[in-house]
Amino acid sequence: MDRSPARIALDDFDRKILAILQKDNLTPQRTIGDAVNLSAPAVQRRIKKMTEAGVIQANVAVVDPAALGHPITIFVEVEIISETADQIEDAKREFAATPEIQQCYYVTGEVDFLLVIVVANMAAYEALTKRLFFGNNNVKRFRTFVAMERIKAGLEVPVR
Amino acid sequence: MDRSPARIALDDFDRKILAILQKDNLTPQRTIGDAVNLSAPAVQRRIKKMTEAGVIQANVAVVDPAALGHPITIFVEVEIISETADQIEDAKREFAATPEIQQCYYVTGEVDFLLVIVVANMAAYEALTKRLFFGNNNVKRFRTFVAMERIKAGLEVPVR
DNA sequence: AGTGAAAAAAAGTGAGA
DNA sequence: TCTCACTTTTTTTCACT
């Protein structure tokens, strides 16, 4: 699923452009050009190059989960029993295919997976646990943390 | 920081539009209109309304952390000693102001905060822990998980 | 509210420095 | 590889249903 080994050299212009686009990718290229001292076409070419190289992976609208009726964010630590490559791959595939799972990381340490889940209510979460964890006999243990408040949320990568 | 009390009624058109914008917000309104059976101006007015109402919180480019020299994602569970309102607020403020902290949630359960951190290398993370955790005598304990693989990452909220 | 056509703005293309 | 001038596409506005 990580399809971007693309390592491309970025200069200061590129980094400045990325900093802007990570905050608002609807900024006109002309405005970006003014900010970084480049013409609009130059900005455009750089954006295109970075997109093709996989540096820019997507352009998305960030939506308030509550507005869509999914006000609850939940973190789950998952420990699995058998860590054979096949079992791990199966788990990855299932987690990736579940829409309620917003983020999924395979981690080192006492647990194996960390999930960020967005659901409409606790009943929906319980149904999900039944399917994903209790219904999977390779899951040894899982621990749930319910978010009471989202202090900061984004995917922004610090520049410089 | 949660500034969207705005609860607006969304119909099926709105939800379909949001589903598209969450995947690619550069999709032409004309294309969106074709997909949902609406004219481009109608799509535009709905997008504008949702943006003003805070349903759409931002429009951002998703950047590959590795391309910016921050290839390591780390999860941290933080337990604090004193849970007085002031102490909690101080912690929130500091976490929110740290650029390397991409996501921060205040949660129920055995820990108090969950952080998602993006750094260039382990040395940078150690420096950060010194400042944020060891340098803060209200932090009782913290536990680190290093992401070995990003199976799924996004902020997309399931529609329907 | 929605549509369709016209105006305005932006993105995309190519020649030349 | 940038900039400048030009073309094409998209967004935005407006009169009307």
Short mmCIF file of all heavy atoms in Angstrom, two decimals, chain C residues 2-15:
data_model
loop_
_atom_site.label_atom_id
_atom_site.label_comp_id
_atom_site.label_asym_id
_atom_site.label_seq_id
_atom_site.Cartn_x
_atom_site.Cartn_y
_atom_site.Cartn_z
P DG C 2 -30.43 22.62 -5.10
OP1 DG C 2 -30.23 21.26 -4.62
OP2 DG C 2 -29.41 23.67 -4.94
"O5'" DG C 2 -30.82 22.56 -6.66
"C5'" DG C 2 -32.12 22.10 -7.02
"C4'" DG C 2 -32.34 22.28 -8.50
"O4'" DG C 2 -32.93 23.59 -8.72
"C3'" DG C 2 -31.06 22.24 -9.33
"O3'" DG C 2 -31.17 21.34 -10.41
"C2'" DG C 2 -30.85 23.64 -9.83
"C1'" DG C 2 -32.20 24.31 -9.68
N9 DG C 2 -32.01 25.66 -9.19
C8 DG C 2 -31.45 26.03 -7.99
N7 DG C 2 -31.37 27.32 -7.83
C5 DG C 2 -31.91 27.84 -9.00
C6 DG C 2 -32.09 29.17 -9.41
O6 DG C 2 -31.79 30.20 -8.80
N1 DG C 2 -32.67 29.25 -10.66
C2 DG C 2 -33.04 28.18 -11.43
N2 DG C 2 -33.59 28.45 -12.61
N3 DG C 2 -32.89 26.93 -11.07
C4 DG C 2 -32.32 26.83 -9.84
P DT C 3 -29.95 21.25 -11.44
OP1 DT C 3 -30.00 19.88 -11.98
OP2 DT C 3 -28.75 21.76 -10.77
"O5'" DT C 3 -30.35 22.27 -12.60
"C5'" DT C 3 -31.55 22.07 -13.33
"C4'" DT C 3 -31.61 23.05 -14.48
"O4'" DT C 3 -31.65 24.40 -13.94
"C3'" DT C 3 -30.40 22.99 -15.42
"O3'" DT C 3 -30.85 22.85 -16.76
"C2'" DT C 3 -29.66 24.30 -15.20
"C1'" DT C 3 -30.76 25.22 -14.67
N1 DT C 3 -30.29 26.27 -13.71
C2 DT C 3 -30.45 27.60 -14.04
O2 DT C 3 -30.95 27.99 -15.06
N3 DT C 3 -29.98 28.48 -13.08
C4 DT C 3 -29.39 28.17 -11.86
O4 DT C 3 -29.01 29.05 -11.10
C5 DT C 3 -29.25 26.75 -11.60
C7 DT C 3 -28.63 26.31 -10.32
C6 DT C 3 -29.71 25.87 -12.52
P DG C 4 -29.83 22.44 -17.89
OP1 DG C 4 -30.56 21.60 -18.87
OP2 DG C 4 -28.60 21.93 -17.27
"O5'" DG C 4 -29.49 23.84 -18.57
"C5'" DG C 4 -30.56 24.68 -19.01
"C4'" DG C 4 -29.99 25.97 -19.58
"O4'" DG C 4 -29.67 26.88 -18.48
"C3'" DG C 4 -28.70 25.80 -20.38
"O3'" DG C 4 -28.75 26.67 -21.51
"C2'" DG C 4 -27.60 26.21 -19.41
"C1'" DG C 4 -28.30 27.28 -18.57
N9 DG C 4 -27.81 27.39 -17.21
C8 DG C 4 -27.36 26.39 -16.39
N7 DG C 4 -26.97 26.79 -15.21
C5 DG C 4 -27.19 28.16 -15.25
C6 DG C 4 -26.96 29.15 -14.26
O6 DG C 4 -26.52 29.01 -13.11
N1 DG C 4 -27.32 30.42 -14.70
C2 DG C 4 -27.82 30.71 -15.94
N2 DG C 4 -28.11 31.98 -16.18
N3 DG C 4 -28.04 29.80 -16.88
C4 DG C 4 -27.70 28.55 -16.46
P DA C 5 -27.66 26.71 -22.62
OP1 DA C 5 -28.33 26.55 -23.92
OP2 DA C 5 -26.58 25.79 -22.22
"O5'" DA C 5 -27.14 28.21 -22.51
"C5'" DA C 5 -28.08 29.29 -22.53
"C4'" DA C 5 -27.37 30.59 -22.19
"O4'" DA C 5 -27.01 30.58 -20.78
"C3'" DA C 5 -26.07 30.81 -22.95
"O3'" DA C 5 -25.91 32.20 -23.19
"C2'" DA C 5 -25.02 30.31 -21.98
"C1'" DA C 5 -25.61 30.80 -20.65
N9 DA C 5 -25.15 30.09 -19.48
C8 DA C 5 -24.92 28.75 -19.35
N7 DA C 5 -24.50 28.39 -18.16
C5 DA C 5 -24.45 29.60 -17.46
C6 DA C 5 -24.08 29.91 -16.14
N6 DA C 5 -23.68 29.00 -15.25
N1 DA C 5 -24.15 31.22 -15.77
C2 DA C 5 -24.54 32.12 -16.66
N3 DA C 5 -24.92 31.95 -17.93
C4 DA C 5 -24.85 30.64 -18.26
P DA C 6 -24.79 32.79 -24.12
OP1 DA C 6 -25.45 33.58 -25.19
OP2 DA C 6 -23.86 31.69 -24.46
"O5'" DA C 6 -24.03 33.81 -23.16
"C5'" DA C 6 -24.80 34.79 -22.44
"C4'" DA C 6 -23.91 35.48 -21.44
"O4'" DA C 6 -23.62 34.57 -20.35
"C3'" DA C 6 -22.56 35.92 -22.00
"O3'" DA C 6 -22.23 37.21 -21.48
"C2'" DA C 6 -21.60 34.84 -21.50
"C1'" DA C 6 -22.22 34.48 -20.17
N9 DA C 6 -21.92 33.12 -19.71
C8 DA C 6 -21.93 31.97 -20.46
N7 DA C 6 -21.62 30.89 -19.78
C5 DA C 6 -21.38 31.38 -18.50
C6 DA C 6 -21.01 30.73 -17.30
N6 DA C 6 -20.81 29.42 -17.20
N1 DA C 6 -20.87 31.51 -16.20
C2 DA C 6 -21.07 32.82 -16.30
N3 DA C 6 -21.43 33.54 -17.37
C4 DA C 6 -21.57 32.75 -18.45
P DA C 7 -20.89 37.95 -21.86
OP1 DA C 7 -21.23 39.36 -22.19
OP2 DA C 7 -20.14 37.11 -22.81
"O5'" DA C 7 -20.11 37.97 -20.47
"C5'" DA C 7 -20.79 38.49 -19.31
"C4'" DA C 7 -19.87 38.39 -18.10
"O4'" DA C 7 -19.71 36.99 -17.75
"C3'" DA C 7 -18.47 38.95 -18.31
"O3'" DA C 7 -18.10 39.68 -17.15
"C2'" DA C 7 -17.60 37.71 -18.53
"C1'" DA C 7 -18.34 36.64 -17.73
N9 DA C 7 -18.25 35.29 -18.29
C8 DA C 7 -18.43 34.91 -19.59
N7 DA C 7 -18.30 33.62 -19.79
C5 DA C 7 -18.01 33.12 -18.53
C6 DA C 7 -17.77 31.81 -18.07
N6 DA C 7 -17.76 30.73 -18.86
N1 DA C 7 -17.52 31.66 -16.75
C2 DA C 7 -17.53 32.73 -15.97
N3 DA C 7 -17.74 34.02 -16.28
C4 DA C 7 -17.98 34.14 -17.59
P DA C 8 -16.68 40.36 -17.02
OP1 DA C 8 -16.83 41.62 -16.26
OP2 DA C 8 -16.02 40.35 -18.35
"O5'" DA C 8 -15.94 39.32 -16.08
"C5'" DA C 8 -16.48 39.04 -14.78
"C4'" DA C 8 -15.57 38.05 -14.06
"O4'" DA C 8 -15.64 36.77 -14.73
"C3'" DA C 8 -14.10 38.47 -14.06
"O3'" DA C 8 -13.63 38.37 -12.73
"C2'" DA C 8 -13.42 37.48 -15.01
"C1'" DA C 8 -14.34 36.26 -14.91
N9 DA C 8 -14.38 35.43 -16.12
C8 DA C 8 -14.52 35.83 -17.41
N7 DA C 8 -14.55 34.85 -18.28
C5 DA C 8 -14.42 33.72 -17.50
C6 DA C 8 -14.37 32.35 -17.82
N6 DA C 8 -14.46 31.87 -19.05
N1 DA C 8 -14.23 31.47 -16.80
C2 DA C 8 -14.14 31.95 -15.54
N3 DA C 8 -14.16 33.22 -15.12
C4 DA C 8 -14.31 34.06 -16.17
P DA C 9 -12.13 38.72 -12.36
OP1 DA C 9 -12.14 39.38 -11.04
OP2 DA C 9 -11.48 39.35 -13.53
"O5'" DA C 9 -11.51 37.25 -12.17
"C5'" DA C 9 -12.20 36.32 -11.33
"C4'" DA C 9 -11.52 34.97 -11.43
"O4'" DA C 9 -11.79 34.37 -12.71
"C3'" DA C 9 -10.00 35.05 -11.30
"O3'" DA C 9 -9.61 34.11 -10.31
"C2'" DA C 9 -9.49 34.67 -12.69
"C1'" DA C 9 -10.62 33.76 -13.18
N9 DA C 9 -10.72 33.67 -14.63
C8 DA C 9 -10.73 34.68 -15.53
N7 DA C 9 -10.85 34.29 -16.78
C5 DA C 9 -10.92 32.91 -16.68
C6 DA C 9 -11.05 31.91 -17.66
N6 DA C 9 -11.14 32.15 -18.96
N1 DA C 9 -11.09 30.62 -17.23
C2 DA C 9 -11.00 30.37 -15.91
N3 DA C 9 -10.88 31.24 -14.91
C4 DA C 9 -10.85 32.51 -15.38
P DA C 10 -8.15 34.11 -9.66
OP1 DA C 10 -8.32 34.16 -8.20
OP2 DA C 10 -7.32 35.12 -10.36
"O5'" DA C 10 -7.60 32.67 -10.06
"C5'" DA C 10 -8.41 31.53 -9.84
"C4'" DA C 10 -8.07 30.44 -10.84
"O4'" DA C 10 -8.44 30.91 -12.17
"C3'" DA C 10 -6.58 30.12 -10.94
"O3'" DA C 10 -6.31 28.92 -10.24
"C2'" DA C 10 -6.32 29.97 -12.45
"C1'" DA C 10 -7.66 30.17 -13.09
N9 DA C 10 -7.59 30.95 -14.31
C8 DA C 10 -7.35 32.29 -14.45
N7 DA C 10 -7.35 32.71 -15.70
C5 DA C 10 -7.59 31.56 -16.42
C6 DA C 10 -7.72 31.32 -17.81
N6 DA C 10 -7.59 32.28 -18.73
N1 DA C 10 -7.97 30.04 -18.20
C2 DA C 10 -8.09 29.09 -17.27
N3 DA C 10 -8.00 29.19 -15.94
C4 DA C 10 -7.75 30.47 -15.59
P DA C 11 -4.91 28.24 -10.31
OP1 DA C 11 -4.83 27.39 -9.12
OP2 DA C 11 -3.92 29.30 -10.57
"O5'" DA C 11 -4.98 27.30 -11.60
"C5'" DA C 11 -6.01 26.33 -11.70
"C4'" DA C 11 -5.90 25.60 -13.03
"O4'" DA C 11 -6.03 26.54 -14.11
"C3'" DA C 11 -4.58 24.87 -13.24
"O3'" DA C 11 -4.86 23.64 -13.85
"C2'" DA C 11 -3.81 25.81 -14.16
"C1'" DA C 11 -4.94 26.40 -15.00
N9 DA C 11 -4.68 27.73 -15.53
C8 DA C 11 -4.28 28.84 -14.83
N7 DA C 11 -4.15 29.91 -15.58
C5 DA C 11 -4.49 29.48 -16.86
C6 DA C 11 -4.56 30.14 -18.11
N6 DA C 11 -4.27 31.44 -18.26
N1 DA C 11 -4.92 29.42 -19.18
C2 DA C 11 -5.22 28.12 -19.00
N3 DA C 11 -5.20 27.38 -17.89
C4 DA C 11 -4.82 28.14 -16.84
P DG C 12 -3.72 22.57 -14.05
OP1 DG C 12 -4.31 21.22 -13.92
OP2 DG C 12 -2.59 22.98 -13.20
"O5'" DG C 12 -3.30 22.77 -15.58
"C5'" DG C 12 -4.22 22.38 -16.59
"C4'" DG C 12 -3.69 22.80 -17.95
"O4'" DG C 12 -3.55 24.25 -17.98
"C3'" DG C 12 -2.31 22.24 -18.30
"O3'" DG C 12 -2.42 21.65 -19.60
"C2'" DG C 12 -1.39 23.45 -18.31
"C1'" DG C 12 -2.36 24.57 -18.68
N9 DG C 12 -1.98 25.91 -18.26
C8 DG C 12 -1.68 26.34 -16.99
N7 DG C 12 -1.40 27.62 -16.93
C5 DG C 12 -1.53 28.06 -18.24
C6 DG C 12 -1.35 29.35 -18.81
O6 DG C 12 -1.04 30.40 -18.23
N1 DG C 12 -1.58 29.36 -20.19
C2 DG C 12 -1.94 28.24 -20.92
N2 DG C 12 -2.11 28.44 -22.23
N3 DG C 12 -2.11 27.03 -20.41
C4 DG C 12 -1.90 27.01 -19.07
P DT C 13 -1.21 20.91 -20.32
OP1 DT C 13 -1.76 19.75 -21.04
OP2 DT C 13 -0.15 20.74 -19.31
"O5'" DT C 13 -0.68 21.96 -21.41
"C5'" DT C 13 -1.60 22.51 -22.34
"C4'" DT C 13 -0.84 23.35 -23.37
"O4'" DT C 13 -0.63 24.69 -22.85
"C3'" DT C 13 0.54 22.81 -23.77
"O3'" DT C 13 0.64 22.88 -25.18
"C2'" DT C 13 1.51 23.75 -23.09
"C1'" DT C 13 0.72 25.06 -23.07
N1 DT C 13 1.07 26.02 -22.00
C2 DT C 13 1.24 27.36 -22.32
O2 DT C 13 1.12 27.79 -23.43
N3 DT C 13 1.54 28.16 -21.25
C4 DT C 13 1.70 27.78 -19.93
O4 DT C 13 1.98 28.60 -19.07
C5 DT C 13 1.52 26.37 -19.66
C7 DT C 13 1.67 25.86 -18.27
C6 DT C 13 1.21 25.56 -20.69
P DG C 14 1.83 22.14 -25.94
OP1 DG C 14 1.27 21.45 -27.11
OP2 DG C 14 2.65 21.41 -24.95
"O5'" DG C 14 2.69 23.39 -26.46
"C5'" DG C 14 2.03 24.46 -27.12
"C4'" DG C 14 2.99 25.60 -27.34
"O4'" DG C 14 3.12 26.38 -26.12
"C3'" DG C 14 4.42 25.19 -27.71
"O3'" DG C 14 4.94 26.12 -28.65
"C2'" DG C 14 5.17 25.29 -26.39
"C1'" DG C 14 4.49 26.52 -25.80
N9 DG C 14 4.61 26.66 -24.36
C8 DG C 14 4.59 25.66 -23.41
N7 DG C 14 4.72 26.11 -22.19
C5 DG C 14 4.82 27.48 -22.35
C6 DG C 14 4.98 28.50 -21.38
O6 DG C 14 5.05 28.39 -20.15
N1 DG C 14 5.03 29.76 -21.96
C2 DG C 14 4.96 30.01 -23.31
N2 DG C 14 5.04 31.27 -23.68
N3 DG C 14 4.82 29.06 -24.22
C4 DG C 14 4.75 27.83 -23.67
P DA C 15 6.20 25.77 -29.52
OP1 DA C 15 5.72 25.28 -30.82
OP2 DA C 15 7.15 24.95 -28.73
"O5'" DA C 15 6.83 27.21 -29.71
"C5'" DA C 15 5.97 28.34 -29.98
"C4'" DA C 15 6.69 29.63 -29.57
"O4'" DA C 15 6.70 29.73 -28.12
"C3'" DA C 15 8.15 29.70 -30.01
"O3'" DA C 15 8.45 31.04 -30.41
"C2'" DA C 15 8.92 29.30 -28.76
"C1'" DA C 15 8.02 29.83 -27.65
N9 DA C 15 8.10 29.06 -26.41
C8 DA C 15 8.08 27.70 -26.27
N7 DA C 15 8.16 27.29 -25.03
C5 DA C 15 8.23 28.47 -24.30
C6 DA C 15 8.34 28.72 -22.92
N6 DA C 15 8.38 27.75 -21.98
N1 DA C 15 8.39 30.01 -22.52
C2 DA C 15 8.36 30.97 -23.45
N3 DA C 15 8.26 30.86 -24.78
C4 DA C 15 8.20 29.57 -25.13
#
